[in-house]
């Protein structure tokens, strides 16, 4: 059997790091240099899986004996993928479009180990219902929390939580990593491939 040397998170996301630390998962961080191209014509599930895998592959080249974890999260509404806002105006438009409606948050996760030729990619979907938000509250939220590094321009774990009416699905998926599904696949990999 092959021996897994280490786990690498191919992301600089503090939320993903926090989720893995919360379950006392041992890992180090080596962010991918891949940037998503939102012009590629893929459905949201395939989009997130594609970019999660590209990120994992990018880092795995430098860590062939490690298990590399790539992830990509988007918000999906009205047939459109919403990534991270470019600026405050983009952020306002995103949040106004989410106000009073239910949207989907989809995260793709990819687990790659080059030495064992291991390559698993999956996605998770969560439905998030948002209360109607006043324009001034949107502006205040952006000013305080500066959510430019978050898909859909909000963080469910920060001050935006007061606007979330309900969710259906994995809460941690909205944060950026569906931890239960991730751990299921991780344990399956260990049992099948490593000792």
């Amino acid at each position: 059997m092959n021996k897994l040397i280490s786990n690498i998170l191919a992301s600089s996301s503090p939320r993903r790091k926090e989720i893995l630390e919360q379950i006392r998962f041992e890992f180090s961080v080596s962010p991918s240099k891949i940037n998503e191209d939102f012009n590629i014509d893929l459905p949201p599930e395939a989009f997130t899986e594609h970019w999660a895998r590209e990120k994992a592959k990018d880092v795995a080249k430098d860590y062939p004996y490690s298990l590399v974890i790539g992830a990509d999260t988007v918000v999906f509404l009205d047939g459109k993928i919403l990534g991270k806002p470019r600026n405050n105006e983009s952020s306002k438009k995103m949040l106004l479009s989410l106000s009073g409606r239910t949207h989907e948050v989809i995260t793709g996760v990819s687990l790659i180990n080059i030495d064992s030729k291991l390559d698993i990619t999956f996605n998770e979907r969560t439905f998030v219902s948002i209360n109607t938000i006043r324009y001034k509250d949107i502006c205040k939220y952006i000013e305080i929390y500066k959510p430019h590094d978050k898909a859909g321009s909000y963080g469910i774990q920060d001050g935006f939580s007061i606007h979330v009416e309900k969710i259906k699905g994995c809460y941690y998926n909205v944060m950026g990593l569906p931890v239960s599904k991730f751990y299921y696949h991780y344990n399956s990999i260990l049992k099948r491939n490593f000792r």
Side-chain angles (χ1 to χ4, degrees), residues 4-133:
L4 185 63
I5 292 178
S6 62
N7 302 306
I8 308 285
L9 176 63
S11 170
S12 59
S13 164
R15 276 82 56 188
R16 294 187 182 119
K17 185 171 179 284
E18 178 187 334
I19 291 169
L20 291 177
E21 288 174 343
Q22 183 174 304
I23 62 169
R24 301 193 175 186
F25 186 78
E26 293 186 5
F27 69 102
S28 57
V29 175
S30 180
S32 162
K33 297 177 178 64
I34 296 289
N35 290 311
E36 300 98 318
D37 177 2
F38 280 81
N39 293 317
I40 64 171
D41 187 20
L42 292 172
E45 300 89 349
F47 181 94
T48 59
E49 287 191 5
H50 171 80
W51 289 114
R53 189 166 180 272
E54 287 300 306
K55 292 173 184 178
K57 282 166 52 183
D58 178 57
V59 173
K61 290 182 295 186
D62 296 325
Y63 300 93
Y65 300 105
S66 299
L67 181 70
V68 179
I69 305 156
D72 189 71
T73 302
V74 299
V75 165
F76 189 62
L77 180 71
D78 293 336
K80 294 180 181 177
I81 292 173
L82 304 181
K84 300 171 185 177
R86 297 181 303 278
N87 49 44
N88 281 357
E89 284 307 307
S90 175
S91 185
K92 288 174 188 175
K93 287 179 182 177
M94 282 189 187
L95 294 179
L96 283 169
S97 72
L98 301 179
S99 175
R101 304 183 65 193
T102 298
H103 62 272
E104 301 169 51
V105 178
I106 302 163
T107 298
V109 180
S110 186
L111 308 173
I112 291 179
N113 175 256
I114 291 176
D115 183 53
S116 299
K117 298 181 174 59
L118 189 148
D119 191 337
I120 296 173
T121 304
F122 58 91
N123 72 80
E124 181 76 4
R125 178 193 311 268
T126 302
F127 294 88
V128 183
S129 299
I130 305 297
N131 292 321
T132 300
I133 315 171

Side-chain angles (χ1 to χ4, degrees), residues 151-185:
S153 192
Y154 75 87
I156 195 169
Q157 74 284 354
D158 63 25
F160 194 78
S161 58
I162 62 172
H163 303 301
V164 179
E165 180 190 1
K166 63 181 178 181
I167 72 167
K168 181 181 179 183
C170 176
Y171 169 85
Y172 294 101
N173 186 51
V174 186
M175 282 182 68
L177 187 71
V179 67
S180 177
K181 198 166 188 178
F182 159 76
Y183 204 70
Y184 168 80
H185 284 285

